[in-house]
Amino acid sequence: MPNPQPFRIPAQRVPLLVPDQDIMSREWYRFFNRKPRHGSFFDTTTQTALATNTAYAVTFNNTASSFGINRGTPTSRIVVPDTSTYNVEFSLQVDKTSGSNSLVYVWPRINGFDVPDSASRARVKDNNDEQVLAWNFMLDMQGGSYFELMWATSNTNVQLLAEPATAFCPAIPSAILTVFEVSL
């Protein structure tokens, strides 16, 4: 049986070492030392919807940790530095202050455009009902792009609730978001 030909990527060959200097080339140094980007953000304010069935961007007023992924302007925008795939995980503290059953919708938006087939819906039932909505998205993004976490509700009595610390537990952010680069 003949030996199979190795797969070759048609690209410029880059030497591992810089000629006559015995140091690693910049391209290979970046390849070997590349760390995945990440960011963790949260918001300490209660976020409200002024109108029903209207898209609102979830804002984040604090950064817990970040390596290469940052909050933009406005603070609802999360900016990624590299073309890659990102795992976006979030939790929202949803509270209904009064009224009957209400719906809450959540979806991602990249560079101002809704991601197709990405929305989810949850029902908040009774008066003073509270729920934590949490799930994740895998987003393919270009370097320098931004995404936003969007939400809408069928009732303006639904809010993303932040609560202060108590004697027995820390404060509750209205929104928590973590972003991890999953492909290099």
Side-chain angles (χ1 to χ4, degrees), residues 10-52:
Q12 176 185 354
R13 293 183 182 260
V14 176
L16 178 63
L17 298 176
V18 175
D20 301 325
Q21 293 185 25
D22 289 332
I23 60 173
M24 186 179 299
S25 70
R26 178 180 313 185
E27 292 82 1
W28 282 104
Y29 179 82
R30 287 181 181 162
F31 174 79
F32 285 123
N33 290 290
R34 176 79 160 76
K35 296 177 185 177
R37 312 295 188 198
H38 68 271
S40 178
F41 313 97
F42 62 98
D43 195 88
T44 58
T45 64
T46 296
Q47 302 181 45
T48 58
L50 300 176
T52 61

Side-chain angles (χ1 to χ4, degrees), residues 23 39 60 63 80 91 120 135 143 150 154 159 178:
I23 60 173
F60 301 95
T63 300
V80 299
S91 66
S120 293
W135 49 88
M150 306 303 294
S154 64
Q159 60 186 1
T178 57

Side-chain angles (χ1 to χ4, degrees), residues 78-148:
I78 305 299
V79 182
V80 299
D82 301 313
T83 298
S84 193
T85 301
Y86 295 88
N87 182 26
V88 178
E89 301 175 6
F90 71 90
S91 66
L92 302 175
Q93 177 76 22
V94 177
D95 175 63
K96 189 155 77 55
T97 59
S98 65
S100 59
N101 289 349
S102 302
L103 298 173
V104 178
Y105 301 84
V106 181
W107 68 97
R109 183 177 278 179
I110 297 176
N111 294 333
F113 296 97
D114 295 336
V115 174
D117 303 314
S118 63
S120 293
R121 178 180 70 193
R123 186 177 306 275
V124 186
K125 293 186 177 180
D126 300 316
N127 186 26
N128 293 321
D129 190 15
E130 294 177 352
Q131 292 185 23
V132 175
L133 304 183
W135 49 88
N136 70 299
F137 303 104
M138 295 294 281
L139 301 177
D140 292 322
M141 298 182 61
Q142 299 295 314
S145 296
Y146 70 89
F147 74 88
E148 294 175 287

